[in-house]
Every structure is written in C-alpha cells, then in structure tokens.
Amino acid sequence: VLPEERSRHLLGIGEVYVPKPEPSERPFFYVLTVFALYALGTLVVARWELWPGTHWQWLAVADIAFAGALNYSSGGGFSQLRFAFLFPVVVVAFRGRPLATAAAAATSTVVYLLQAFPHPSRSNNGALSFALVQAAYLTWLGLALVLLS
C-alpha cells in the first residue's frame, strides 16, 4: 500500500469514528449568504483594484472571522469547514512577511479554539482532545507557512 493511500485510509477511519453533530441549518445558511456577498465584494475589489495598497490584511481578518462563524454554525470543532482556517494563513504567507503570517496563524488557531469550546458538540466524547489536535495541526501548518513566507 502506498503511503498516500495509507493516510487516506487513516483519515477515512478517523471520520467514521469521530462523532459529528448535525449542523444547525438556518444560521449556517445566513452566514453562508453573508459570506457569499463578502466574497463577491472582494472579487470586485480585486478585479478593479479599488483599494490599492495594504488593505489585504483586513481581508485576512475578515476571512478568519467568517471561517469561525461558518465553522460554528456547521458543527463547531468537528465541522469539515475547520480547514477554512488555513486559507487566510496561506494568503498572508504569499502576500506578507513572516511576522504577519505568524499573526494570522496564531489568530486562526485561537479563533478555531474559541468557536470549538463553547459549541454544543463539546459534550461529545473526545471533543476536547479532537479540538486540541486540530489546533495543533493548525499551529504546525502555520509554522510551516511562516517558514515559507
């Protein structure tokens, strides 16, 4: 078995055994609608460069906030949207300096934990350890992105 197949099987097994709460649909679709409008707005800004300069840092802050809101409304720490916390860190790694990347990575990790701990899914068995492992992954990937930037 190839190494990538082993990791795929391992991730698949983890997804089967980790309890996942049902998403609360109404708040999720409200947040998703606002996020879609935000995404269209940023597309317009990027296309026509309405705000030249360094305003992209604020977009990273908004991306992290939306990742937190979408994640919380779709299952908390167990949501598959937890991977959205990496997107702003990757963007900052390619656009900014290492210190900005480290700040984005730390902020993403803290926001992930802040939305995971108060979520009702925390009552599931193993929720705390799962959230801490995910935070460790975010931290580790953030460190790699700091070295890349």
Side-chain angles (χ1 to χ4, degrees), residues 40-51:
L40 289 173
T42 57
L43 179 64
V44 168
V45 169
R47 177 71 176 118
W48 287 291
E49 297 182 35
L50 297 177
W51 297 326

Side-chain angles (χ1 to χ4, degrees), residues 18-88:
V18 172
K20 293 173 274 308
E22 291 298 317
S24 51
E25 289 187 19
R26 185 170 292 177
F28 174 74
F29 286 116
Y30 290 150
V31 175
L32 185 62
T33 301
V34 173
F35 176 70
L37 293 172
Y38 160 76
L40 289 173
T42 57
L43 179 64
V44 168
V45 169
R47 177 71 176 118
W48 287 291
E49 297 182 35
L50 297 177
W51 297 326
T54 60
H55 295 288
W56 59 268
Q57 290 99 337
W58 293 108
L59 296 177
V61 170
D63 288 343
I64 293 168
F66 274 116
L70 286 166
N71 206 50
Y72 185 84
S73 64
S74 67
F78 292 108
S79 173
Q80 292 299 325
L81 286 172
R82 66 185 177 272
F83 299 113
F85 284 101
L86 284 175
F87 174 74

Side-chain angles (χ1 to χ4, degrees), residues 10-20 78 125:
L10 179 63
L11 289 174
I13 290 169
E15 288 298 318
V16 170
Y17 289 107
V18 172
K20 293 173 274 308
F78 292 108
N125 190 18

